[in-house]
């Protein structure tokens, strides 16, 4: 390495540096897919925006005492997007399956929320899914589309069963979803539950919900945060969580066996970068908390 190695950086890498795939514990994959977005489109631009934010925030986690710089992360780039949603899900499934079978934790940067279905399909049917989202995403279909972002948890419930889904931050629902979830109960901590109880109580409730679960797929739909903090999302909903509360809840989730993570629904053109900064922080803190758990075992 000569002169160029000091003066050339690769700004597209998540957190600014990359281990080789062989050495990595965490594999980042961008999924710039937003074909079924209905209101504010453009989450295809989010993987780049999250990477850019991740390069420009500090990497040390005060919550865990771990520095993201010390983690072995490989940024594998972005998946090529296809026109058909079923083919897209299959492509995601193959990539996530390969990463997990190589003993690494995949970290998908969406894209819209429907990508989680591909990720969950890569894992065993005994996988629990922890879903941070303002919405239930339990419609059978939306605009005639069964693989819609608004139906993703319905499809996932068909795979792993509603009892293996834990939804957190719920506050925006429709009658069809309410009826479905009365017949097919998921575990749920609503935004109101969180607002009306002390955080320690909520953390304890969450811990009890997760204890004994074999493995967890963690998905964060960024609209779980209040639009004051994360305005650039596909379907913003008021009365949401604060970043502090979300990070505390994520820290608790990551005390359990999280084996895959995604973060979805950012539409970067709707703000000046705040939502992507929140996303980068969420991912950094989650990775550090997962790392701490892996070390402790
Ligand atoms: Mn969602
Ligand atoms: Mn949502």
């Amino acid at each position: 390495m000569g002169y160029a190695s000091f003066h050339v950086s690769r700004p597209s890498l998540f957190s600014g540096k990359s281990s080789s795939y062989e050495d990595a514990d965490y594999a980042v994959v961008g999924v710039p897919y937003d074909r079924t977005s209905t209101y504010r489109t453009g989450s295809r631009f989010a993987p780049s925006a999250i990477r850019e934010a991740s390069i420009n925030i500090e990497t040390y986690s005060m919550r865990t005492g771990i520095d993201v710089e010390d983690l072995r992360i490989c940024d594998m780039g972005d998946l090529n997007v296809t026109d058909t949603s079923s083919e897209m899900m299959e492509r995601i499934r193959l990539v996530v399956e390969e990463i997990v079978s190589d003993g690494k934790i995949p970290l998908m940067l969406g894209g819209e929320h429907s990508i989680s279905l591909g990720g969950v399909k890569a894992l065993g049917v005994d996988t629990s899914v922890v879903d941070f989202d303002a919405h239930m995403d339990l419609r059978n279909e939306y605009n005639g589309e069964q693989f819609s972002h608004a139906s993703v948890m319905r499809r996932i419930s068909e795979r792993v069963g509603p009892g293996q889904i834990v939804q957190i931050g719920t506050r925006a629902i429709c009658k069809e979803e309410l009826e479905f979830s009365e017949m097919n109960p998921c575990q749920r901590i609503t935004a109101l539950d969180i607002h009306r109880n002390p955080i320690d109580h909520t953390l304890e409730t969450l811990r009890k919900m997760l204890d004994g679960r074999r493995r967890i797929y963690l998905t964060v739909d960024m609209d779980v945060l209040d639009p004051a903090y994360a305005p650039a999302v596909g379907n913003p909903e008021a009365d949401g969580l604060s970043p502090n509360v979300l990070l505390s809840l994520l820290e608790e989730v990551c005390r359990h066996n999280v084996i895959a993570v995604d973060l979805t629904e950012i539409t970067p053109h709707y703000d000046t970068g705040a939502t992507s900064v929140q996303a980068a922080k969420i991912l950094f803190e989650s990775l550090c908390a997962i790392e701490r758990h892996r070390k402790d075992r």
Side-chain angles (χ1 to χ4, degrees), residues 184-239:
N184 305 272
C186 307
Q187 302 274 342
R188 184 169 292 116
I189 302 175
T190 68
L192 273 180
D193 294 334
I194 294 167
H195 297 325
R196 290 178 174 170
N197 286 292
I199 184 69
D200 288 345
H201 171 88
T202 305
L203 290 170
E204 179 67 9
T205 304
L206 180 57
R207 187 182 65 72
K208 285 181 185 154
M209 281 182 184
L210 300 182
D211 270 351
R213 292 177 187 267
R214 289 190 66 184
R215 57 178 82 90
I216 290 169
Y217 183 101
L218 168 61
T219 174
V220 180
D221 177 328
M222 277 299 283
D223 66 34
V224 73
L225 283 178
D226 192 87
Y229 306 106
V233 294
N235 298 270
E237 288 284 350
D239 203 18

Side-chain angles (χ1 to χ4, degrees), residues 33-37 44 81-86 112 145 147:
Y33 173 77
D34 59 7
R35 202 183 65 80
T36 82
S37 294
R44 70 183 65 183
V81 163
T82 64
D83 273 347
T84 49
S85 29
S86 55
E112 58 171 64
E145 169 67 78
F147 292 107

Side-chain angles (χ1 to χ4, degrees), residues 18-53:
S18 189
S19 303
S20 70
Y21 179 74
E22 287 69 30
D23 290 341
D25 297 316
Y26 306 91
V28 175
V29 182
V31 187
Y33 173 77
D34 59 7
R35 202 183 65 80
T36 82
S37 294
T38 40
Y39 178 31
R40 309 203 303 185
T41 58
S43 65
R44 70 183 65 183
F45 300 106
S48 310
I50 297 167
R51 286 188 177 98
E52 184 183 320

Side-chain angles (χ1 to χ4, degrees), residues 113 133-135 137 221 223-224 235 265:
H113 204 175
D133 197 331
H135 307 92
D137 292 347
D221 177 328
D223 66 34
V224 73
N235 298 270
E265 292 290 332

Side-chain angles (χ1 to χ4, degrees), residues 14 25-31 92 96 99-100 104-110 113 115-116 119-120 123 127-130 132 216-221 250 253-254 256-264 279 282-291:
F14 180 78
D25 297 316
Y26 306 91
V28 175
V29 182
V31 187
I92 293 167
V96 170
I99 294 169
V100 170
K104 306 173 197 307
I105 294 186
L107 179 64
M108 274 202 287
L109 312 176
H113 204 175
I115 67 168
S116 302
V120 169
L123 309 173
T127 303
S128 293
V129 178
V130 176
F132 287 86
I216 290 169
Y217 183 101
L218 168 61
T219 174
V220 180
D221 177 328
L250 282 166
V253 173
C254 296
H256 303 263
N257 187 29
V258 174
I259 62 163
V261 180
D262 73 40
L263 186 147
T264 65
I282 287 166
L283 293 171
F284 278 9
E285 291 292 338
S286 299
L287 289 182
C288 289
I290 292 169
E291 178 80 1

